């Protein structure tokens, strides 16, 4: 079983993502319910032919909300990760290649941020900015760029002393070109693996912040916010917590499998 | 760092899956818990019972879990009123079950002229340190309270206090017809100002319980004061704990860790009722959940827009579906139990009427299919501010949001941590869903003055209604009770026609009580929680 998972990790991960993409794109056509339509007469219904997963405490279709939530969660995650990459990778390249004062300045900031647990920084940033999804994304980006900057800087530091880089420099290649043509491609695989693994963590972080009430605001059907909504009915209607919980679990699992699989494939130094 | 061994990864999976099983097992164990203790007869083996045994043979104790935390016990500054709620301190005058005034530390009082009140202080009352309560002690305590608390100073309007034996003579700066009822205010609780201990940690009062230990924001441990004037408490010890998380409070009740739990989530009341060792007391409260209109916003200055939003509030659905029936529909700010509650009909949920009003106000549906209302190209979008502290408020907000969307009004909900700060400082909000005690001392003056007079503490909507201000000014100098009721009724009529707020529901307090607690009933006033008569089986 472990071997199977290892071998097909990438495909399973991609499969989960594909499923989500299909759900996000086709969901609204397949599910004839508005995720925001309140109908108090139909609140807390159990699953039936019309409402496949039942309704929540406002009579809203749970499946429609899960599907709408997929779009929000995935969209936010992609935005957060892209922004973190756009900040972290250039800073890492610059820091590693230029060295000296620039490196010292960037790395001291990184060291300072690394000294605190991610989640605590994210909570305080989101707390200071006030409850809103955009603020959550900002908080996550501010926490997550550090990892990329460090990884890229490390690779650049090792690579820049190697013969091919020296050769390029001796041949008169401009610094910018050296960075993008020679150093970036070396750093990229590791960054992508890290990004794929982070995706799961970011989804968890968005959900956790929304669960704490700092992220998505009602009636936005974000999964973490749905968990928060359902918290009150934890004892009377536990399924309302189980559905978004399982959704988060599956997506994070998919992200981690994808990340693990990518790492195995892209990393030539591996022993298997 | 960049790579894990596959075996290690498999290990991680095993750990994750086994944790999942442990979690499930934990749930199963929990659900069997209450049944096990039922067999032993109402949880005699519960945590509370054990702690009673620890404190000595036959020593009765009880744990009360409250929803707000206090960082100080000083009666003059603690807005959670813990010292009075925990039975440590007492006031000169108290409220009875029907919210009428009753003598407490004062046995009687009379008004000798417009500005003079004479109180007779109860004889044979002693503080926890054994010193006698006399008029001089009351004077010292009141003067300290007035110096410490602006709101107490504003409520009492004291010019001077004279003490002579057990007679206390108070001169007020201006006629204050509600002076005795203002003394019910927990800020006016009497403490021994000469006591050695810090007032914030261990106020020395006259109540049935003395403070044994206080952990700020966590709990107060209390022990019986044997010299209590009204008969020593039946309980030897009590613990007054704080927890602001509704689910944690619920679990503490179900696990019988706490005997009395305040403010259970409404959704959970049916579950609690099914547990035989516990009963639910659902009592109507003097609180009102209401929607404040920000009268500084141009589109809300139009009465028709406010009326339209009011007509979109489905109060019956809120009572039934959100409050699970544990609430009363509000007609104006005051509870129907009061004599100054007006006879007028309540607001009616009527989306068609709302649409008509909005059309008259010039808001028309845009040409697109969205049905959004616009005026001069501007959409009607309102920002509604509310908070999580009362879990039903965000739900009511969402219901209003959904109804408004059907009528073409966009509502954005924003949760804030500290609503009082936000509403006072920011001007960008349109609607605020808020909750307040409207007649905590059985008198309409408190809410009318704080919500509608310029210097009030709850004037967030900045309503300027001269007619209402005049009525309140008149109320403030009227002594005759029937006339006061009439003025308050007129004030409510003005409020109901001008709609500076939409009053929605009077929520019930859902209080969970373990069956072993006897001789205890929660009061409407939410002031006197621990008493000398309460007992445990």
């Amino acid at each position: 079983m472990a071997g199977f998972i290892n071998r097909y990790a990438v495909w399973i991960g991609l499969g989960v993502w594909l499923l989500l993409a299909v759900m996000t794109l086709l969901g609204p056509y397949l599910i004839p319910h508005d995720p925001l339509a309140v109908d108090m007469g139909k609140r807390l219904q159990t699953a039936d032919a019309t409402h496949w997963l039942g309704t929540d405490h406002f009579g809203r279709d749970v499946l429609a909300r899960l599907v709408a939530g997929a779009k929000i969660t995935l969209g936010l995650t992609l935005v957060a990760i892209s922004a973190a990459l756009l900040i972290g990778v250039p800073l890492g390249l610059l820091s590693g290649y230029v060295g000296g004062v620039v490196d010292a300045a960037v790395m001291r900031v990184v060291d300072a941020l690394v000294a605190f647990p991610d989640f605590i920084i994210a909570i305080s940033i989101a707390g200071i900015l006030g409850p809103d999804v955009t603020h959550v994304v900002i908080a996550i980006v501010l926490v997550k760029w550090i990892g990329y900057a460090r990884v890229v800087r490390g690779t650049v530091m090792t690579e820049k002393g190697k013969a091919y880089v020296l050769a390029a420099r001796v041949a008169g290649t401009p610094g910018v070109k050296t960075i993008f043509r020679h150093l970036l491609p070396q750093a990229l695989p590791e960054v992508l693996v890290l990004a794929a693994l982070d995706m799961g963590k970011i989804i968890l972080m968005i959900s956790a912040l929304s669960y704490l009430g700092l992220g998505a605001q009602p009636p936005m059907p974000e999964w973490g916010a749905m968990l928060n909504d359902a918290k009150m009915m934890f004892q009377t209607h536990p399924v309302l917590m189980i559905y978004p919980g399982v959704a988060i679990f599956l997506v994070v699992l998919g992200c981690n499998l994808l990340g693990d699989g990518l790492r195995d494939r892209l990393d030539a130094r591996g022993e298997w | 760092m960049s790579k894990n061994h596959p075996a290690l990864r498999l290990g991680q999976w095993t750990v994750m899956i086994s944790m999942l099983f442990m979690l499930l097992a934990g749930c199963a164990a929990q659900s069997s818990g209450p049944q096990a203790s039922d067999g032993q007869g109402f949880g005699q083996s519960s945590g509370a019972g054990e702690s009673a045994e620890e404190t000595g043979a036959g020593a009765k104790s009880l744990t009360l879990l409250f929803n707000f935390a206090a960082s100080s016990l000083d009666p003059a500054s603690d807005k959670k009123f813990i010292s009075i709620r925990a039975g440590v301190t007492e006031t000169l005058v108290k409220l009875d079950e029907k919210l009428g005034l009753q003598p407490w530390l004062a046995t009687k009082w009379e008004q000798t002229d417009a500005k003079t009140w004479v109180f007779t202080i109860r004889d044979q009352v002693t503080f926890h340190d054994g010193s006698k309560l006399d008029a001089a002690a009351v004077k010292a305590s009141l003067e300290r309270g007035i110096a410490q608390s602006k709101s107490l100073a504003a409520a009492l309007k004291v010019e001077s206090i004279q003490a002579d034996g057990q007679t206390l003579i108070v001169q007020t700066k201006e006629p204050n017809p509600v002076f005795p009822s203002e003394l019910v205010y927990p800020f006016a609780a009497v403490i021994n100002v000469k006591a050695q201990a810090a007032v914030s940690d261990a106020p020395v009062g006259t109540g049935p319980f003395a403070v044994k230990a206080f952990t700020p924001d966590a709990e107060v441990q209390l022990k019986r004061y044997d010299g209590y004037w009204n008969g020593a408490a039946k309980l030897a010890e009590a613990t007054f704990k704080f927890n602001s998380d509704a689910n944690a409070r619920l679990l503490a009740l179900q696990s019988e860790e706490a005997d009395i739990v305040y403010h259970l989530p409404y959704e959970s009341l049916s579950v609690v009722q099914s547990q035989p060792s516990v009963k639910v007391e659902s009592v109507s409260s003097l609180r009102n959940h209401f929607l404040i209109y920000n009268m500084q916003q141009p589109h809300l200055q139009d009465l028709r827009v406010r009326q339209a939003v009011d007509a979109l509030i489905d109060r019956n659905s809120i009572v039934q579906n959100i409050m699970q029936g544990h609430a009363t529909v509000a007609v104006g700010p005051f509870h129907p139990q009061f004599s100054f509650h007006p006879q007028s009909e309540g607001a009616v949920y009527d989306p068609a009427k709302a649409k008509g009003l909005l059309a008259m106000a010039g808001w028309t549906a845009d040409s697109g299919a969205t049905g959004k209302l616009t005026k001069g190209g501007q959409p009607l979008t309102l920002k509604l501010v509310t908070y999580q502290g009362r879990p039903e408020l965000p739900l009511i907000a969402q219901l209003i949001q959904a109804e408004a969307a059907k009528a073409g009004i966009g509502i954005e909900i924003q949760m804030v941590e500290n609503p009082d700060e936000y509403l006072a400082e920011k001007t960008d909000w349109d609607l605020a869903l808020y909750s307040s005690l409207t007649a905590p001392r059985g008198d309409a003056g408190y809410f009318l003055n704080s919500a509608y007079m310029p210097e009030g503490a709850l004037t967030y909507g900045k309503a300027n209604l001269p007619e209402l201000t005049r009525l309140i000014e008149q109320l403030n100098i009227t002594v005759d009770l029937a006339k006061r009721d009439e003025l308050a009724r007129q004030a409510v009529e003005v409020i109901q026609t001008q709609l500076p707020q939409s009053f929605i529901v009077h929520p019930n307090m859902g209080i969970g009580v373990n069956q072993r607690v006897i001789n205890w009933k929660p009061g409407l006033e939410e002031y006197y929680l621990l008493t000398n008569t309460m007992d445990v089986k």
Side-chain angles (χ1 to χ4, degrees):
Chain A
M1 183 64 192
F4 175 81
I5 290 178
N6 281 339
R7 200 164 315 135
Y8 297 104
V10 179
W11 299 111
I12 299 172
L14 276 178
V16 171
W17 275 88
L18 198 70
L19 191 75
L20 278 169
V22 170
M23 254 171 67
T24 313
L25 294 174
L26 299 183
Y29 300 101
L30 296 175
I31 303 156
H33 300 289
D34 179 348
L36 301 181
V38 169
D39 184 350
M40 287 309 238
K42 285 191 184 172
R43 68 195 298 271
L44 298 170
Q45 283 185 354
T46 44
D48 61 18
T50 4
H51 298 283
W52 294 350
L53 295 182
T55 57
D56 71 358
H57 55 302
F58 279 108
R60 299 175 295 206
D61 185 70
V62 172
L63 184 59
R65 285 179 72 73
L66 279 181
V67 169
K71 199 167 167 180
I72 294 166
T73 306
L74 300 187
L76 292 176
T77 309
L78 290 177
V79 169
I81 212 137
S82 317
L85 282 171
L86 282 176
I87 298 174
V89 172
L91 275 178
L93 287 170
L94 194 71
S95 178
Y97 188 76
V98 178
V101 186
V102 178
D103 183 37
V106 174
M107 282 306 122
R108 289 306 78 76
V109 174
V110 166
D111 287 346
L113 288 173
V114 166
F116 294 98
D118 281 13
F119 201 64
I120 295 191
I121 305 184
I123 288 183
S124 21
I125 296 172
I128 291 165
L129 293 177
D132 191 39
V133 267
T134 9
H135 298 161
V136 163
V137 172
I138 294 173
I140 290 173
V141 170
L142 289 179
V143 169
K144 281 291 172 194
W145 69 270
I146 309 163
Y148 306 121
R150 273 162 61 110
V151 166
V152 171
R153 173 180 173 268
T155 317
V156 171
M157 297 276 270
T158 357
E159 297 291 324
K160 84 172 171 187
K162 288 193 181 166
Y164 72 97
V165 178
L166 287 176
R169 287 168 74 175
V170 168
T173 318
V176 178
K177 199 174 172 189
T178 314
I179 292 178
F180 283 101
R181 282 291 284 279
H182 301 293
L183 296 175
L184 184 59
Q186 292 297 328
L188 221 44
E190 220 163 334
V191 168
L192 287 182
V193 168
L194 190 62
L197 285 171
D198 265 352
M199 207 105 79
K201 288 184 197 154
I202 290 179
I203 292 173
L204 283 179
M205 227 175 201
I206 295 176
S207 303
L209 288 171
S210 293
Y211 177 77
L212 294 176
L214 291 170
Q217 296 298 300
M220 199 187 250
E222 203 280 326
W223 291 342
M226 286 172 74
L227 273 178
N228 189 15
D229 281 352
K231 184 173 67 175
M232 295 177 302
M233 288 154 288
F234 167 56
Q235 298 198 359
T236 43
H237 299 85
V239 282
L240 289 176
M241 277 194 104
I242 291 173
Y243 291 138
V246 167
I248 294 172
F249 169 74
L250 283 179
V251 174
V252 173
L253 179 67
C255 289
N256 288 349
L257 286 175
L258 186 66
D260 275 4
L262 275 181
R263 178 164 62 199
D264 296 352
R265 271 154 204 265
L266 292 177
D267 196 345
R269 289 169 293 177
E271 64 264 45
W272 63 85
Chain B
M1 179 63 208
S2 71
K3 189 161 55 185
N4 287 338
H5 194 272
L8 190 68
R9 234 172 1 184
L10 188 66
Q12 287 171 347
W13 278 107
T14 322
V15 170
M16 261 179 74
I17 290 167
S18 51
M19 273 168 69
L20 202 74
F21 277 114
M22 273 156 63
L23 207 78
L24 290 172
C27 293
Q30 193 183 44
S31 57
S32 68
Q35 285 160 10
S37 60
D38 292 345
Q40 295 162 14
F42 301 136
Q44 284 300 314
S45 69
S46 70
E50 277 159 21
S51 68
E53 278 157 35
E54 278 164 22
T55 54
K60 287 176 171 177
S61 80
L62 168 150
T63 301
L64 184 144
L65 190 51
F66 197 59
N67 56 320
F68 287 115
S71 50
S72 158
L73 290 180
D74 186 342
S77 63
D78 166 26
K79 290 184 180 157
K80 307 298 180 279
F81 311 147
I82 300 304
S83 75
I84 207 149
R85 284 178 161 148
V88 175
T89 57
E90 293 171 315
T91 47
L92 295 184
V93 184
K94 75 182 287 191
L95 294 175
D96 61 18
E97 310 87 79
K98 294 193 179 116
L99 303 167
L101 297 183
Q102 288 293 328
W104 210 7
L105 289 180
T107 48
K108 61 177 192 219
W109 53 90
E110 57 179 336
Q111 190 172 18
T112 51
D113 66 57
K115 295 191 200 170
T116 311
W117 291 86
V118 179
F119 285 81
T120 307
I121 305 301
R122 192 179 292 279
D123 214 354
Q124 273 132 26
V125 174
T126 52
F127 287 108
H128 298 150
D129 58 5
S131 56
K132 181 175 162 39
L133 177 82
D134 54 16
V138 174
K139 172 179 177 329
S141 175
L142 281 180
E143 280 172 348
R144 176 186 178 276
I146 290 165
Q148 301 256 325
S149 157
K150 275 188 191 150
S151 59
L152 183 63
L156 296 181
K157 302 180 187 123
V158 167
E159 173 75 43
S160 69
I161 305 177
Q162 285 169 299
D164 177 19
Q166 297 299 112
T167 310
L168 188 80
I169 303 161
V170 181
Q171 293 281 341
T172 57
K173 286 179 194 149
E174 52 192 86
N176 188 0
V178 289
F179 188 77
S181 116
E182 295 294 357
L183 281 177
V184 172
Y185 203 17
F187 278 12
V190 178
I191 52 164
N192 184 0
V193 295
K194 291 185 195 134
Q196 296 290 319
V199 179
S200 58
D201 288 337
V204 174
T206 56
F209 295 101
V211 178
K212 191 163 94 180
F214 172 54
T215 317
D217 298 318
E219 64 174 38
V220 196
Q221 285 178 29
L222 303 150
K223 58 174 189 286
R224 168 167 59 206
Y225 172 49
D226 292 318
Y228 182 57
W229 60 271
N230 202 12
K234 301 267 195 301
L235 298 170
E237 301 204 327
T239 310
F240 195 108
K241 285 191 181 182
F242 317 127
N243 195 324
S244 59
D245 183 336
N247 283 304
R249 290 200 302 275
L250 173 63
L251 291 172
L253 177 74
Q254 290 174 323
S255 66
E256 305 189 352
E257 183 194 323
D259 301 294
I260 300 175
V261 174
Y262 263 76
H263 294 282
L264 294 169
Y266 294 100
E267 294 284 350
S268 73
L269 294 182
S270 56
V271 182
V272 174
Q273 266 155 343
S274 67
Q275 187 175 336
S277 61
V278 172
K279 67 181 173 210
V280 171
E281 299 270 8
S282 178
V283 290
S284 193
S285 77
L286 302 181
R287 188 166 281 289
N288 198 322
H289 291 340
F290 54 95
L291 191 66
I292 307 172
Y293 299 100
N294 185 350
M295 303 283 267
Q296 302 295 94
Q297 303 283 18
H299 41 271
L300 286 175
Q301 282 168 2
D302 189 332
L303 175 63
R304 290 167 297 194
V305 176
R306 302 200 298 275
Q307 285 170 333
V309 175
D310 189 67
L312 288 170
I313 302 173
D314 189 349
R315 291 173 172 80
N316 289 320
S317 173
I318 290 170
V319 169
Q320 268 168 39
N321 296 315
I322 293 175
M323 316 292 288
Q324 306 286 306
H326 297 280
T328 319
V329 169
V331 181
F334 303 114
H335 196 274
Q337 192 159 347
F338 288 116
S339 52
F340 45 86
H341 181 264
Q343 299 301 310
S344 59
E345 288 292 306
V348 181
Y349 167 64
D350 189 350
K353 181 184 154 204
K355 278 185 191 165
L357 284 162
L358 289 165
M360 275 199 288
W363 293 95
T364 47
D366 67 354
S367 44
T370 57
K372 288 234 170 86
L373 294 177
T374 56
K375 183 155 129 184
Q378 288 292 315
L380 184 51
T381 310
L382 305 173
K383 178 170 163 184
L384 190 158
V385 172
T386 191
Y387 49 101
Q388 303 260 15
R390 297 186 180 274
E392 64 275 17
L393 290 184
L395 301 181
I396 296 175
Q398 285 187 68
L399 190 63
I400 296 174
Q401 182 185 45
E403 291 294 340
K406 283 186 208 160
I409 307 174
I411 289 185
E412 286 166 21
I413 298 176
Q414 189 184 340
M415 297 296 180
V416 293
E417 248 340 278
N418 187 336
D420 294 299
E421 204 172 275
Y422 188 95
L423 297 177
E425 285 169 11
K426 306 272 178 135
T427 53
D428 63 342
W429 55 278
D430 300 286
L431 309 169
L433 195 56
Y434 193 82
S435 178
S436 174
L437 287 167
T438 49
R441 295 184 284 288
D443 188 87
Y446 164 77
F447 185 74
L448 294 175
N449 276 296
S450 46
Y452 305 105
M453 294 305 272
E455 69 276 15
L458 291 173
T459 52
Y460 302 132
K462 305 237 171 8
N464 181 18
L465 305 167
E467 197 187 346
L468 187 57
T469 325
R470 265 197 308 278
L471 282 170
I472 299 169
E473 277 165 356
Q474 216 182 326
L475 176 78
N476 288 346
I477 50 166
T478 306
V479 182
D480 182 69
L481 284 178
K483 274 190 196 144
R484 288 184 64 83
D485 283 358
E486 183 50 36
L487 284 167
R489 268 195 293 271
Q490 285 175 17
V492 174
E493 300 288 352
V494 176
I495 294 165
Q496 290 293 82
T497 36
Q498 294 297 320
L499 278 179
Q501 296 103 346
S502 280
F503 295 91
I504 303 173
V505 288
H506 297 285
N508 283 17
M509 285 182 285
I511 301 162
V513 186
N514 195 301
Q515 298 280 13
R516 74 187 198 100
V517 178
I518 46 175
N519 295 335
W520 187 82
K521 258 197 130 35
L524 268 176
E525 79 299 315
E526 288 183 62
Y527 282 165
Y528 319 118
L529 308 192
L530 293 183
T531 64
N532 61 327
T533 49
M534 69 196 299
D535 201 354
V536 290
K537 280 187 219 167

